[in-house]
Amino acid sequence: HAGSIVWGVIAPGDNVAPGSLAGDYTGAGAGGSAGIGVKVNLLFGGDDGKISLQPLQVEGNVGIGANVGVTRLTLVYGQ
């Protein structure tokens, strides 16, 4: 399956220090397909829980389906 992810990052203020995205994120997700599949997750975590990640994933699958789940992601700051 081919696919790509685009991330939207919501942070407090516009002066986010390097490494601020590092941390554990948890959230919920849902998806569905009727031809091309789309999956949306909303994750909270990072800088003491102040960061929100909003990935929009478009998958290259064909068919009809739906899903709901809990998502966990850990980002590590690489210096």
Side-chain angles (χ1 to χ4, degrees), residues 5 7-8 10-11 13 18 23-26 31 39 41 52-53 58 60-61 76:
I5 299 177
W7 294 87
I10 299 174
D24 294 320
Y25 292 82
T26 56
K39 184 175 183 180
N41 293 298
S52 171
L53 298 179
V58 179
N61 58 9
V76 178

Side-chain angles (χ1 to χ4, degrees), residues 59-77:
E59 300 174 338
N61 58 9
V62 177
I64 297 175
N67 62 61
V68 176
V70 176
T71 303
R72 180 178 172 141
L73 172 72
T74 299
L75 295 179
V76 178
Y77 179 54

